Amino acid sequence: MELRHLRYFVAVAAHGSFNRAAEILHLTQPALSRQVKDLEEELDVPLLVRGQNTVKLTEAGELFYEEAREVLVRADEAVKRVRGETRSETLSVGYAPSVVTGIMPAALEKFQSATPRVRIELADLSSREINELAHDGRLDLVISLGVSVTKGISGFQWTELRRLQPVLVMPETHSLAKLKRIPLGRLGGLPLIGLAKDNYPEYAPHVRGILKPFGVSPRFVSFVNDSLSTLFTELEAHRAAAILTEGIAGVMPRTLVIRPFAQMLPSALVMIGLPASRITNASSKPRRFWPTTAEPTTKSSVSQSERRKVWSWNNRRKFAVPTKLACC
């Protein structure tokens, strides 16, 4: 018995006619009838009751028809999987755009090339949205500032991806834009616009925390509860400034500039997290997808002098644990 015998029988049973089934299968009616007859002889049981113009299934034929259809469906799915014609996984990635600038495009290209059957769904989210979706089990991968997620999301394994320095963002016409570096003392009384606690609950406490050792208390005159694009608009409209991280340079408009601080502030950790349920044995020799210092990316890539770690995936149904690679 071969698969073609099952296909011929299923076609005849579905259409209730040898003539119609023969047309669909591009066979002659006598040839199709002979193939189905061979199947019945091999099974040693009649499957069809043949009329003058129609055919009906016997009791055994009805049972065999259901089984044959399931076998054909499984066979077709197996062929598609082997040919890579189906996508067996969806990877939902929640990320903060300012922390993946310069590395996301290259990583996605490598990942899709190695795992063509995995469909990637990207979501640009606030820290609150990342926490909520991760808690609901709707994110497979999270990339965000460590202060935003590592304490708020349980059941994830976290690995450091990179570090970003705090910077001052302002319109190019701002009075401080002419400076190459901003002394922290100049922040005293400077109008700042921040990210509101509804969507970014960690922002204001974190900024106050990193400035406190220097005796600086930030003066927030407004908080934006929407996206970064709204923050950029507010900065330009009020000629104000904002304390963000250097990764913001890749997503902000050209009318804004960034300046590093004269004193060294604690860097912000960018973490990459994966649910523990998706983690496989670390000894499975996963592939690397995030760029390393040995693999330069485009001009918009992060500097090779930045300390960063590398996330590794393999191309199986599950994804490998993060693998730390030392770079300098």
Side-chain angles (χ1 to χ4, degrees):
M1 184 187 307
E2 300 177 14
L3 282 177
R4 61 186 175 87
H5 290 109
L6 301 184
R7 294 191 190 280
Y8 296 160
F9 165 70
V10 167
V12 173
H15 294 286
S17 166
F18 275 99
N19 288 332
R20 180 58 181 154
E23 291 177 6
I24 297 297
L25 296 169
H26 303 291
L27 293 172
T28 63
Q29 189 274 333
L32 177 59
S33 180
R34 185 168 58 252
Q35 293 290 336
V36 174
K37 188 65 175 176
D38 289 343
L39 176 62
E40 289 178 309
E41 291 177 354
E42 183 169 348
L43 295 173
D44 196 25
V45 62
L47 301 174
L48 301 170
V49 177
R50 294 161 173 81
Q52 185 173 359
N53 296 314
T54 61
V55 294
K56 294 182 180 181
L57 291 170
T58 63
E59 185 176 345
E62 290 180 354
L63 176 62
F64 190 74
Y65 174 64
E66 296 299 328
E67 296 290 342
R69 285 204 310 171
E70 291 184 10
V71 170
L72 292 175
V73 168
R74 289 197 297 271
D76 289 341
E77 289 177 348
V79 171
K80 289 179 180 179
R81 284 197 298 271
V82 170
R83 291 176 176 173
E85 296 175 0
T86 61
R87 297 183 182 272
S88 58
E89 286 282 343
T90 297
L91 186 71
S92 298
V93 181
Y95 69 98
S98 63
V99 303
V100 297
T101 301
I103 61 174
M104 182 68 90
L108 291 179
E109 182 179 357
K110 288 185 178 182
F111 181 77
Q112 288 282 244
S113 181
T115 58
R117 290 171 48 235
V118 176
R119 180 167 60 89
I120 298 177
E121 293 181 349
L122 297 176
D124 170 358
L125 305 169
S126 69
S127 55
R128 178 187 61 81
E129 292 169 328
I130 287 177
N131 277 264
E132 290 179 354
L133 292 177
H135 273 301
D136 293 342
R138 295 163 62 186
L139 291 178
D140 301 309
L141 191 69
V142 169
I143 308 174
S144 184
L145 292 174
V147 68
S148 304
V149 294
T150 52
K151 293 182 179 180
I153 303 177
S154 60
F156 271 60
Q157 177 168 314
W158 299 98
T159 296
E160 180 184 325
L161 177 62
R162 63 194 300 197
R163 295 192 179 200
L164 299 174
Q165 281 296 312
V167 294
L168 192 67
V169 180
M170 69 202 101
E172 56 187 356
T173 56
H174 196 280
S175 59
L176 295 182
K178 61 184 178 182
L179 301 178
K180 292 184 177 180
R181 292 183 177 273
I182 309 298
L184 291 178
R186 298 294 295 270
L187 295 180
L190 183 71
L192 295 174
I193 295 179
L195 299 172
K197 64 179 181 180
D198 288 348
N199 276 327
Y200 303 90
E202 75 294 332
Y203 173 80
H206 178 67
V207 171
R208 291 189 176 103
I210 63 174
L211 294 179
K212 185 176 181 179
F214 298 89
V216 176
S217 179
R219 177 185 167 225
F220 292 110
V221 296
S222 176
F223 287 97
V224 172
N225 200 32
D226 203 349
S227 63
L228 287 175
S229 60
T230 302
L231 173 64
F232 298 150
T233 301
E234 289 286 306
L235 292 177
E236 293 178 329
H238 300 286
R239 295 186 64 185
I243 298 175
L244 300 170
T245 58
E246 59 187 323
I248 203 71
V251 295
M252 71 183 194
R254 294 182 179 180
T255 53
L256 298 179
V257 296
I258 63 172
R259 295 291 183 265
F261 291 104
Q263 293 90 337
M264 181 64 70
L265 290 172
S267 58
L269 297 181
V270 178
M271 307 299 289
I272 186 165
L274 187 73
S277 59
R278 277 190 175 269
I279 296 174
T280 59
N281 194 314
S283 63
S284 57
K285 296 183 180 180
R287 295 190 180 190
R288 298 172 185 170
F289 293 96
W290 296 103
T292 69
T293 52
E295 296 173 320
T297 57
T298 62
K299 291 183 179 179
S300 62
S301 172
V302 294
S303 169
Q304 290 188 1
S305 64
E306 286 184 322
R307 178 172 174 253
R308 59 183 182 256
K309 299 292 193 320
V310 177
W311 173 254
S312 299
W313 273 303
N314 64 8
N315 57 356
R316 301 180 182 177
R317 287 182 60 87
K318 290 188 176 180
F319 306 98
V321 294
T323 303
K324 296 181 180 179
L325 298 182
C327 5
C328 55

